[in-house]
Amino acid sequence: MPAHRTTPGPLALRPIQPGDEEALHAIFATTREAERQQLGWSGPEWDTFTRQQFAAQHAQYMRGYANPTFSLVLHGDSGGAVAGRLYVDRTPAEIRIIDIALLPAHQRQGLGGRLLRALAEESDACGIPLGLHVEKNNPILGAYERLGLQAREDRGVYLYMQRPPQPPRLPGPDALAASTGSAFELHDPAQLGCAAPLATLQLQRATQRQGRGVASLTLDFAGPDIGRPAHATYLLAHPLLGRFPLFLGPVMGGAAGQVHYQATLTRLVPPPEETTTHE
């Protein structure tokens, strides 16, 4: 059988709202399909049972988490069709996946992997672990392990898994230079989680120089005064380059109403290899 291939298509999240109950119940009911087949239920009897179970589960989720976000997963053009649900609780200590479920028609298309990778990227950007509970016999367990989630506790039927945030990495000089003209969020590395940025800076110039054995890249930013005159290490966030540390500070030459910030990166360049010619 050939490998299953699909066009990725747009993927979006929309907060649940009044009127979504039928869609949410339909998603929930598909997660209990194995139980339905085992019990042999169908029709009104099964519908009544799943509605009761769905209402109890949703009420528990609403009460049991400090800062939950309940979203419908939309897939496709023109606003997207309802593909599933994604419930996440975000605290300074952890990004917790409460529930992720996709309708059968939208499974095996890579949508779950895209949602998980987006949450892993958020975890890395915020410096907060990503965690969840999963049944021990759930076939998705392998996907969680490939993402970097590791079993931390055995809680009976469930495993508690967590993935530590990956350390930010400095982009290469070519990638930074190509981002001239774009905006970067400036964050205080001492703040926990995805706190509001101190300011938004625009990269105005990226100047590359190369001398004997050393190459340098000078980045010139402009933005508002953050009230910190000394150079220090900050976290910069860019939609394509991600979040990374950078040592920068204010220098002379800012336009009216702005402050000029500068960072210089240097690296050693190995000498070219000598070529020997044999006559």
Side-chain angles (χ1 to χ4, degrees):
M1 181 179 293
H4 184 73
R5 295 171 180 256
T6 60
T7 303
L11 192 63
L13 298 177
R14 174 176 67 75
I16 63 172
Q17 58 193 27
D20 288 334
E21 290 81 7
E22 287 301 315
L24 291 169
H25 168 251
I27 297 166
F28 172 81
T30 64
T31 68
R32 308 296 293 270
E33 179 61 21
E35 185 177 359
R36 184 194 69 79
Q37 294 182 10
Q38 182 180 12
L39 295 173
W41 290 4
S42 62
E45 183 182 35
W46 178 249
D47 182 72
T48 299
F49 173 75
T50 56
R51 288 183 186 278
Q52 292 173 345
Q53 293 294 306
F54 165 68
Q57 183 195 69
H58 191 74
Q60 178 186 355
Y61 286 164
M62 293 287 287
R63 295 191 305 265
Y65 294 91
N67 188 36
T69 300
F70 302 112
S71 302
L72 283 175
V73 179
L74 307 179
H75 182 223
D77 298 314
S78 302
V82 173
R85 69 181 187 181
L86 177 65
Y87 296 172
V88 181
D89 184 52
R90 293 173 173 87
T91 69
E94 185 182 56
I95 298 174
R96 172 70 63 86
I97 301 175
I98 304 172
D99 186 275
I100 179 171
L102 296 171
L103 291 168
H106 296 272
Q107 295 174 4
R108 302 183 182 277
Q109 299 182 32
L111 304 188
R114 290 167 65 184
L115 294 170
L116 290 171
R117 286 191 295 274
L119 289 168
E121 290 171 1
E122 179 185 346
S123 165
D124 293 343
C126 297
I128 298 176
L130 178 66
L132 55 81
H133 285 92
V134 60
E135 293 178 342
K136 294 178 181 178
N137 61 351
N138 194 321
I140 202 174
L141 184 61
Y144 290 156
E145 291 174 338
R146 289 190 293 274
L147 189 67
L149 286 150
Q150 302 174 353
R152 301 295 189 191
E153 292 183 32
D154 186 330
R155 298 180 176 175
V157 177
Y158 295 93
L159 290 175
Y160 168 63
M161 306 183 73
Q162 194 178 73
R163 173 189 181 273
Q166 304 303 302
R169 296 181 180 179
L170 183 67
D174 292 339
L176 286 166
S179 300
T180 301
S182 60
F184 292 74
E185 290 183 348
L186 182 69
H187 292 263
D188 184 344
Q191 293 179 341
L192 293 175
C194 282
L198 298 172
T200 298
L201 308 182
Q202 184 186 44
L203 178 57
Q204 295 187 320
R205 288 180 301 278
T207 307
Q208 299 191 62
R209 297 183 178 87
Q210 185 164 334
R212 181 174 298 179
V214 177
S216 67
L217 174 67
T218 300
L219 304 173
D220 293 288
F221 298 90
D225 187 356
I226 61 172
R228 302 184 182 188
H231 279 64
T233 298
Y234 296 90
L235 287 176
L236 268 68
H238 185 273
L240 297 180
L241 302 180
R243 181 176 290 211
F244 55 92
L246 195 64
F247 185 78
L248 81 165
V251 296
M252 300 296 293
Q258 288 188 324
V259 174
H260 183 198
Y261 300 88
Q262 191 176 84
T264 300
L265 311 175
T266 59
R267 70 184 191 280
L268 297 177
V269 178
E273 295 182 3
E274 295 184 0
T275 303
T276 303
T277 302
H278 298 278
E279 295 184 359

